[in-house]
Amino acid sequence: MQSSLVEGIARVVAIDGRVAWLEPEQTTSCGGCASSGLCGAKGIGTTASRLEMRRFPLTNEPGLIIGERVVVGVDERALLKASGTAYALPLVVMLGAGLVAQWLAGSDAITMATMVIALGVGLAGARWGALSLGARGQLAPRFIRRASTDEFCRTELTKGAR
Amino acid sequence: MQDYVLLMIGAALVNNVILARFLGLCSFMGVTTRIDTAIGMGLATTFVITVSSMANWAVQVYLLEPYGLGYLRTVTFILVIAGAVQFTEMTVRKVSPPLFQMLGIYLPLITTNCAVLGVALLLVEGKMSFIAATLFAFASSIGYSLVMVIFAGLRERLALAEVPRLFAGPPIGFIVASLLALAFLGFSGMNTN
């Protein structure tokens, strides 16, 4: 079965030996909206400092230079697994524990305390799951091609781009 | 237990956040160009709605109601939601930086998602117990995610369809959304009271 890649555009901001450091371009998921220039969501979380936090390394096999824009991709299934690990796992653990606590104790305060503890346990499980995914290299973006000057954040799938 | 199941079905399908209450329409149109993006946004929103609703319930019951501060509800809830989003972002970043790099793009959008505030205000109106409020919020956000994914699937197919130029893009998207809303109207025949 062919895999699909989720593509995005990033800019090379530093070269460290054989590793290139990239920052994703400053876009929001709804950046294609006709009112994006006026939208309040655009100003939140898109400052340079936040982009720095999302800086990621890439092996510099293609010989990238600073300032170059490249198209990088992540396996579509890896994105879904990551979403499930980060969000679904803690929620399921928390809700399950809450239901059990409510059934056993029947008190709002006890249920609340149990759910907060279970959320912590779920987040620990998410950390373990993320480490497992990371160890298999599934979360690392891969180089696809250099971006053209007029190319902006792409959203279509690439079939069998591996 | 049956009450909880009916509450969840009612929140997810009958009174769907997007198609029945018309909340979260910005992300509904903006983040549904692809299924995986919709799933990512849906799961992130589900997490934030559930966690922020738990916090909002506690604030309402233990702070606003006892001290007669009901008039500060909207402002307080917005603050709690922003805090929940920040908490989620920090947690994901601590739990796994690679996950944060992949999923962090959705989180800032959730702060301005009116569905999160809408669900919190609905909880207050409903005067529910803690577990019922949490399940209601969870089911509402599952309904939100479900509609996002269905609509994203339809839009992916629309991208391949030959649509007249006049209707291409958002216009045909709105028409499809209205048909989807009509389909969900069918759930209102279910008696979940």
Side-chain angles (χ1 to χ4, degrees):
Chain A
M1 191 179 156
Q2 286 185 320
S3 66
S4 305
L5 290 180
V6 181
E7 294 182 9
I9 293 185
R11 188 179 293 275
V12 182
V13 290
I15 303 286
D16 185 11
R18 287 179 53 80
V19 175
W21 287 89
L22 286 85
E23 270 180 14
E25 287 217 329
Q26 192 171 341
T27 55
T28 58
S29 296
C30 58
C33 171
S35 304
S36 62
L38 303 170
C39 181
K42 196 181 176 186
I44 300 172
T46 54
T47 58
S49 63
R50 291 176 64 93
L51 283 175
E52 263 183 37
M53 285 191 277
R54 296 183 53 213
R55 197 175 278 192
F56 60 92
L58 198 71
T59 312
N60 194 11
E61 280 173 7
L64 301 171
I65 55 171
I66 292 175
E68 207 166 14
R69 296 168 75 237
V70 295
V71 178
V72 289
V74 175
D75 195 309
E76 187 186 20
R77 280 173 296 180
L79 186 68
L80 298 182
K81 278 184 195 171
S83 303
T85 304
Y87 301 122
L89 181 65
L91 266 186
V92 168
V93 173
M94 183 182 76
L95 290 173
L99 281 172
V100 171
Q102 181 72 20
W103 181 57
L104 290 176
S107 155
D108 279 342
I110 293 174
T111 306
M112 203 185 305
T114 308
M115 287 179 83
V116 170
I117 294 166
L119 180 63
V121 173
L123 289 171
R127 184 182 173 83
W128 180 81
L131 285 174
S132 169
L133 280 175
R136 280 179 273 164
Q138 292 190 0
L139 301 178
R142 65 188 77 159
F143 173 81
I144 295 177
R145 63 173 183 280
R146 287 177 166 82
S148 57
T149 49
D150 58 341
E151 196 171 2
F152 57 96
C153 189
R154 291 165 61 89
T155 52
E156 69 266 32
L157 289 171
T158 310
K159 291 286 179 193
R162 244 180 207 176
Chain B
M1 189 57 78
Q2 192 187 359
D3 292 343
Y4 293 147
V5 174
L6 291 176
L7 177 78
M8 290 177 75
I9 291 173
L13 300 176
V14 182
N15 295 309
N16 186 272
V17 174
I18 295 176
L19 299 177
R21 298 193 190 276
F22 307 112
L23 297 169
L25 292 178
C26 180
S27 53
F28 176 62
M29 290 306 292
V31 199
T32 50
T33 48
R34 289 191 39 192
I35 291 180
D36 51 0
T37 315
I39 292 175
M41 179 71 177
L43 280 173
T45 309
T46 300
F47 187 88
V48 170
I49 286 182
T50 310
V51 171
S52 66
S53 294
M54 287 165 61
N56 280 328
W57 185 93
V59 167
Q60 171 68 24
V61 170
Y62 296 120
L63 183 70
L64 299 181
E65 270 179 16
Y67 296 101
L69 299 172
Y71 60 93
L72 289 176
R73 184 180 301 138
T74 308
V75 179
T76 313
F77 282 8
I78 289 172
L79 199 66
V80 171
I81 289 164
V85 172
Q86 286 298 317
F87 165 77
T88 309
E89 191 168 346
M90 282 193 299
T91 307
V92 174
R93 200 164 68 227
K94 281 283 179 194
V95 165
S96 172
L99 279 185
F100 176 72
Q101 284 159 4
M102 288 175 81
L103 305 170
I105 53 169
Y106 306 115
L107 293 170
L109 293 174
I110 299 171
T111 314
T112 52
N113 190 339
C114 57
V116 186
L117 179 61
V119 170
L121 293 173
L122 286 169
L123 295 179
V124 176
E125 280 179 22
K127 297 199 180 299
M128 301 173 194
S129 67
F130 178 74
I131 190 74
T134 308
L135 290 176
F136 176 84
F138 177 70
S140 295
S141 49
I142 289 291
Y144 170 89
S145 305
L146 179 72
V147 170
M148 292 276 283
V149 172
I150 292 173
F151 192 56
L154 290 170
R155 287 184 80 176
E156 277 194 358
R157 302 198 78 161
L158 272 178
L160 303 172
E162 283 186 27
V163 180
R165 277 184 63 190
L166 187 65
F167 290 108
I172 192 71
F174 279 115
I175 292 169
V176 170
S178 67
L179 294 175
L180 193 58
L182 281 175
F184 266 70
L185 200 63
F187 289 119
S188 61
M190 292 168 68
N191 184 5
T192 54
N193 291 324

